[in-house]
C-alpha cells in the first residue's frame, strides 16, 4: 500500500519476518515506510535487526524504526525516539542492575558481566513529567526504579475501581506505572515490570532473561516462553519456565527440558523447573502480549503443593545429572 507510518509490538515484527516468503520480499515496496514504531512490550533489538536485514531488499530503511513507550492509563503515548534515527541501545551489566539497581554500561566485547541490550524509548512528550523512584525517593540518572508519570493525558482513575485507583494515582496526580526503568539525559529506558520480577533467595531475576535463554534454542520461537515463580509448601519460591513446544517425540522433548535446565543453571546460576506445554496454550492479554501473571495463576491452580515440592526435587535431580 506504500504506507508511511505503522506501529507494532516486537512480536509483530518477529511474526512478519518468520512468515514472509523469501521469494516474495522483492515484490514488496517498503521504501515509503518512514515511521516503523515499536512499543507495547519489552523491545527486542535482535528481532528488529533480523526484520531489517530480511526487508532491506524490499526497500526498508532501518532508520525508520522508532522506539516508544506508552500505556492505556495515559491514552496512550508517553515518550518517543527521534524520527529517522533508528533505534539505539545501552549494553548493560544485568548482574549489577539486579543487585544494585543501577545501569552500568559494558563494552560490546566486555565479558566480565552478563550483558544485555536495552532499547532507549526516547524523551517524554511535551508537558509530561517522568521520575524514577525507589518508594518515595526520586533517583538520579542511570539508577533503576519504578517509573512515575504526570501529564495532561493521565487518567483520572479506573472506572468503578476506587481501590485500584488509589494504588495507582497519587493525590498530586503522579501515576505509578508499575514499570521499571531508568533515565539518562531525559531519555527513558524500560527494563521490566515490577509485578513480573522474580525474587529467589533475595535475588532479583527478570523473567525476560529466562525467556531469552529458552528462545535461543532452535525448537523455541520468540514469544513461546514465559517465566515466573510459584510458592512450594514451605513458602519458598520455585522458578518456573513454561515453553510452548511443537515437538512430539518424547526423547527430543526430554532433551529440550534437560538442555534448558542446564543452560539456565550455567548462564544464570539458577535452578529452574521447565515445563513444556502445547502451542497456543500460554495466556495472553487482549492486545496479544504474554500474561505472566495469568500463567503463574494457572500454574498454581493446576498444581497442588505436593506437585510443586516434587517439581523442586525434579529440578535438583536434573541439575545434578546435567
Amino acid at each position: 500500500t506504500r504506507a508511511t507510518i505503522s506501529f507494532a509490538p516486537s512480536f509483530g515484527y518477529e511474526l512478519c519476518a518468520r512468515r514472509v516468503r523469501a521469494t516474495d520480499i522483492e515484490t514488496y515496496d517498503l521504501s515509503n515506510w518512514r515511521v516503523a514504531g515499536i512499543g507495547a512490550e519489552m523491545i527486542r533489538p535482535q528481532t528488529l535487526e533480523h526484520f531489517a536485514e530480511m526487508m532491506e531488499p524490499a526497500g526498508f530503511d532501518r532508520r525508520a524504526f522508532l522506539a516508544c513507550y506508552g500505556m492505556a492509563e495515559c491514552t496512550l503515548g508517553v515518550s518517543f525516539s527521534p524520527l529517522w534515527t533508528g533505534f539505539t541501545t545501552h549494553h548493560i551489566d544485568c548482574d549489577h542492575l539486579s543487585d544494585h539497581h543501577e545501569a552500568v554500561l559494558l563494552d560490546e566485547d566486555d565479558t566480565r558481566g552478563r550483558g544485555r541490550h536495552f532499547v532507549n524509548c526516547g524523551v517524554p512528550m511535551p508537558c509530561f513529567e517522568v521520575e524514577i523512584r525507589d518508594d518515595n525517593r526520586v533517583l538520579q540518572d542511570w539508577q533503576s526504579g519504578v517509573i512515575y508519570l504526570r501529564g495532561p493525558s493521565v487518567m483520572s482513575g479506573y472506572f468503578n475501581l476506587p481501590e485500584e485507583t488509589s494504588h495507582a494515582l497519587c493525590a498530586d496526580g503522579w501515576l505509578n506505572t508499575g514499570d521499571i526503568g531508568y533515565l539518562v539525559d531525559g531519555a527513558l529506558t524500560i527494563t521490566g515490570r515490577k509485578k513480573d520480577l522474580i525474587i529467589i533467595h533475595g535475588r532479583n531475576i527478570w523473567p525476560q532473561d529466562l525467556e531469552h535463554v529458552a528462545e535461543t534454542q532452535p525448537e523455541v520461537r520468540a514469544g513461546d516462553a514465559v517465566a515466573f515463580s510459584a510458592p512450594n509448601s514451605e513458602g519458598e519460591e520455585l522458578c518456573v519456565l513454561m515453553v510452548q513446544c511443537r515437538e512430539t517425540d518424547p526423547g527430543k522433548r526430554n532433551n529440550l527440558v534437560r538442555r534448558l535446565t542446564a543452560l539456565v543453571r550455567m548462564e544464570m546460576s539458577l535452578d529452574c523447573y521447565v515445563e513444556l506445554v502445547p502451542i497456543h496454550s500460554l495466556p495472553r492479554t487482549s492486545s496479544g502480549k504474554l500474561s505472566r501473571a495469568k500463567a503463574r495463576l494457572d500454574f498454581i491452580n493446576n498444581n497442588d503443593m505436593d506437585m510443586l515440592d516434587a517439581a523442586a526435587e525434579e529440578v535438583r535431580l536434573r541439575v545434578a545429572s546435567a
Side-chain angles (χ1 to χ4, degrees), residues 186-248:
L188 183 63
T189 299
I190 315 299
T191 60
R193 185 152 182 82
K194 186 175 183 179
K195 70 176 183 180
D196 291 335
L197 187 65
I198 299 170
I199 303 176
I200 304 291
H201 302 307
R203 178 185 170 195
N204 294 334
I205 298 151
W206 294 113
Q208 296 92 340
D209 293 341
L210 290 165
E211 292 156 6
H212 176 70
V213 170
E215 292 168 5
T216 60
Q217 301 307 295
E219 303 95 330
V220 185
R221 297 176 178 176
D224 274 358
V226 62
F228 51 87
S229 64
N232 63 14
S233 61
E234 298 178 356
E236 295 183 353
E237 291 291 316
L238 170 70
C239 190
V240 179
L241 179 62
M242 297 182 71
V243 180
Q244 291 183 158
C245 183
R246 294 161 177 78
E247 182 59 63
T248 58

Side-chain angles (χ1 to χ4, degrees), residues 90-94 104-117:
H90 290 149
H91 189 212
I92 299 298
D93 185 331
C94 286
V104 174
L105 289 173
L106 292 175
D107 294 333
E108 292 300 322
D109 56 352
D110 194 323
T111 59
R112 291 175 298 174
R114 183 170 51 85
R116 180 180 171 191
H117 287 89

Side-chain angles (χ1 to χ4, degrees), residues 261-275:
T261 304
L263 278 171
V264 171
R265 181 64 183 173
M266 180 178 66
E267 296 189 16
M268 304 184 65
S269 301
L270 180 69
D271 295 339
C272 182
Y273 176 69
V274 179
E275 179 176 326

Side-chain angles (χ1 to χ4, degrees), residues 57-227:
F60 180 77
D61 191 322
R62 66 181 63 226
R63 291 178 297 173
F65 281 133
L66 187 149
C68 57
Y69 171 65
M71 54 195 310
E73 288 85 345
C74 296
T75 60
L76 178 66
V78 173
S79 69
F80 290 87
S81 300
L83 290 171
W84 208 241
T85 59
F87 69 93
T88 59
T89 66
H90 290 149
H91 189 212
I92 299 298
D93 185 331
C94 286
D95 291 328
H96 190 90
L97 182 65
S98 295
D99 295 340
H100 303 286
H101 311 294
E102 181 184 21
V104 174
L105 289 173
L106 292 175
D107 294 333
E108 292 300 322
D109 56 352
D110 194 323
T111 59
R112 291 175 298 174
R114 183 170 51 85
R116 180 180 171 191
H117 287 89
F118 291 100
V119 176
N120 307 319
C121 292
V123 298
M125 296 175 64
C127 301
F128 254 98
E129 299 173 84
V130 177
E131 290 183 351
I132 307 298
R133 299 185 186 180
D134 178 8
D135 293 327
N136 292 321
R137 182 169 62 96
V138 178
L139 302 178
Q140 302 300 312
D141 278 13
W142 297 103
Q143 292 182 303
S144 175
V146 178
I147 301 169
Y148 278 74
L149 304 172
R150 185 165 63 178
S153 65
V154 171
M155 67 174 186
S156 58
Y158 295 111
F159 182 66
N160 284 342
L161 295 172
E163 185 174 352
E164 287 83 349
T165 298
S166 66
H167 292 320
L169 278 176
C170 303
D172 54 1
W174 284 94
L175 172 69
N176 180 344
T177 68
D179 290 323
I180 305 294
Y182 60 87
L183 287 168
V184 178
D185 296 330
L188 183 63
T189 299
I190 315 299
T191 60
R193 185 152 182 82
K194 186 175 183 179
K195 70 176 183 180
D196 291 335
L197 187 65
I198 299 170
I199 303 176
I200 304 291
H201 302 307
R203 178 185 170 195
N204 294 334
I205 298 151
W206 294 113
Q208 296 92 340
D209 293 341
L210 290 165
E211 292 156 6
H212 176 70
V213 170
E215 292 168 5
T216 60
Q217 301 307 295
E219 303 95 330
V220 185
R221 297 176 178 176
D224 274 358
V226 62

